[in-house]
């Protein structure tokens, strides 16, 4: 259980913005505006919310019907997967933590025979509707089908795994010699800043899918231990966008769009921070 207080988040943004000012990215006026805004925010003192951190199976079952709504992460992972998958000769592709099958559909478009695995029955139901010719199984990232396969993909899932080592070992186990592993994840900088999936539980209570912050080196150490060699790493940054001002809503409006409480600080704190981390490994 976590206590999500709007000021805990917004003052964190203000602090990040001020640290960037301290190293010379912003001027005296910007600093004065941030300090004045902090005083105003402290005077308002809105209420917070108790939020449960839920198991990924529960979280993704709840999220499954709306998961494919527009998501900026999809603009990064799908083209990356497509580039690798279409570069390889058609073979067997395993989509680990396949979710609703959106990445599996990309693999099929590139000519691969697709096997998908996910721990969420709700997600698999959506995947089977999307790709009727695919082969989908209930399973976990540490107990994949026996293989061998030519390509393993895993998108937006490893942040929910406490230890990357067993997962990378399983990827390597099912992969043919010379095969590829493609991973797309929320960037650790974003996870550290609290960008974790939010869901409403069956009783209406707020929840977030339990997540873990894996640093860049954690992926590399797990890959090397499994005998996988890094081919490429990319850390794309989302285009800058205007953040409209907002007021903190009552509990019923959770999850709040809290960046709007301090738009200038949010812009400064998030400037040039990567949104995702994308990997290609070979066996």
């Amino acid at each position: 259980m976590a206590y999500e207080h709007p000021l805990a988040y917004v003052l964190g943004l203000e602090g990040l913005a001020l640290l960037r000012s301290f190293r010379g990215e912003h001027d005296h006026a910007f600093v004065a505006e941030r300090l004045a805004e902090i005083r105003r925010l402290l005077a308002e003192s809105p209420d917070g919310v108790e939020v449960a951190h839920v198991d990924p199976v529960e979280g993704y079952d709840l999220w499954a019907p709306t998961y494919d709504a527009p998501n900026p992460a999809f603009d990064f992972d799908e083209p990356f997967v497509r580039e690798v998958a279409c570069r390889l000769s058609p073979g067997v592709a395993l989509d680990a933590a396949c979710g609703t099958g959106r990445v599996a559909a990309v693999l099929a478009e590139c000519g691969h025979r697709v096997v998908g695995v996910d721990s969420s029955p709700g997600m698999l139901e959506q995947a089977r509707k999307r790709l009727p010719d695919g082969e989908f199984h209930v399973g976990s990232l540490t107990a994949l089908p026996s293989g061998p396969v030519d390509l393993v993909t895993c998108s937006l899932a490893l942040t929910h795994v406490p230890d990357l080592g067993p997962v990378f070992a399983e990827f390597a186990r099912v992969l043919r010699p010379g095969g590829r592993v493609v991973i797309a994840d929320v960037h650790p900088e974003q996870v550290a800043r609290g960008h974790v999936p939010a869901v409403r539980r069956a009783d209406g209570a707020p929840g977030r899918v339990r997540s873990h912050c894996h640093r860049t080196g954690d992926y590399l150490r797990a890959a090397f231990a499994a005998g996988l060699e890094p081919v490429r790493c990319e850390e794309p940054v989302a285009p800058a966008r205007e953040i409209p001002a907002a007021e903190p809503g009552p509990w019923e409006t959770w999850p709040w769009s809290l960046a709007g409480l301090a738009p200038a600080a949010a812009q400064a704190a998030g400037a040039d921070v990567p949104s995702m981390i994308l990997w290609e490994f070979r066996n």
Side-chain angles (χ1 to χ4, degrees):
M1 187 71 71
Y3 179 60
E4 295 191 6
H5 194 289
L7 291 188
Y9 182 80
V10 179
L11 293 180
L13 292 179
E14 297 280 9
L16 290 169
L18 287 169
L19 280 174
R20 298 182 77 149
S21 300
F22 194 80
R23 73 185 195 201
E25 293 187 27
H26 301 284
D27 59 14
H28 179 278
F30 181 87
V31 173
E33 289 170 2
R34 301 284 64 72
L35 296 176
E37 191 166 59
I38 289 170
R39 295 186 188 100
R40 176 181 61 78
L41 288 165
L42 288 171
E44 294 175 354
S45 189
D47 293 328
V49 174
E50 296 284 352
V51 180
H53 284 192
V54 304
D55 179 87
V57 175
E58 177 189 353
Y60 279 92
D61 271 345
L62 291 168
W63 197 3
T66 58
Y67 182 81
D68 287 329
N71 184 331
F74 300 167
D75 295 334
F76 293 121
D77 67 348
E78 291 182 17
F80 190 79
V81 170
R82 186 182 302 278
E83 190 277 322
V84 178
C86 288
R87 185 196 332 136
L88 302 177
S89 299
V92 180
L94 171 63
D95 189 16
C98 63
T100 60
R102 61 181 187 84
V103 170
V106 172
L107 299 173
E109 289 169 11
C110 293
H112 298 280
R113 182 170 74 82
V114 178
V115 179
V117 175
D118 202 280
S119 60
S120 164
M123 286 288 198
L124 287 171
E125 181 181 353
Q126 301 297 323
R128 293 183 180 108
K129 291 177 182 177
R130 182 194 295 267
L131 198 64
D133 293 335
E135 178 186 331
F136 294 101
H137 304 274
V138 176
S140 75
L141 290 172
T142 55
L144 298 172
S146 59
V149 301
D150 303 284
L151 171 64
V152 175
T153 59
C154 185
S155 185
L156 299 174
L158 293 186
T159 54
H160 304 306
V161 173
D163 183 0
L164 295 178
V167 178
F168 273 78
E170 188 70 352
F171 291 167
R173 182 188 68 79
V174 301
L175 198 62
R176 295 182 193 277
R180 292 292 194 273
V181 175
V182 176
I183 291 168
D185 242 330
V186 180
H187 197 277
E189 285 289 336
Q190 300 293 347
V191 180
R193 292 169 184 231
H195 292 186
V196 174
V199 295
R200 285 281 188 175
R201 305 185 79 181
D203 62 359
R208 289 194 187 273
V209 183
R210 189 174 295 114
S211 299
H212 307 271
C213 186
H214 302 303
R215 300 297 181 185
T216 302
D218 295 333
Y219 294 91
L220 286 172
R221 283 183 285 273
F224 289 142
L228 297 173
E229 177 187 353
V231 175
R232 185 165 41 144
C233 177
E234 295 185 11
E235 298 173 284
V237 176
R241 61 181 180 85
E242 184 178 353
I243 300 174
E247 296 295 328
W251 181 90
E252 289 77 12
T253 67
W254 182 94
W256 306 296
S257 181
L258 295 176
L261 300 180
Q267 291 255 352
D272 301 322
V273 175
S275 296
M276 296 191 72
I277 188 163
L278 309 174
W279 293 99
E280 179 184 355
F281 297 96
R282 66 179 162 219
N283 198 353

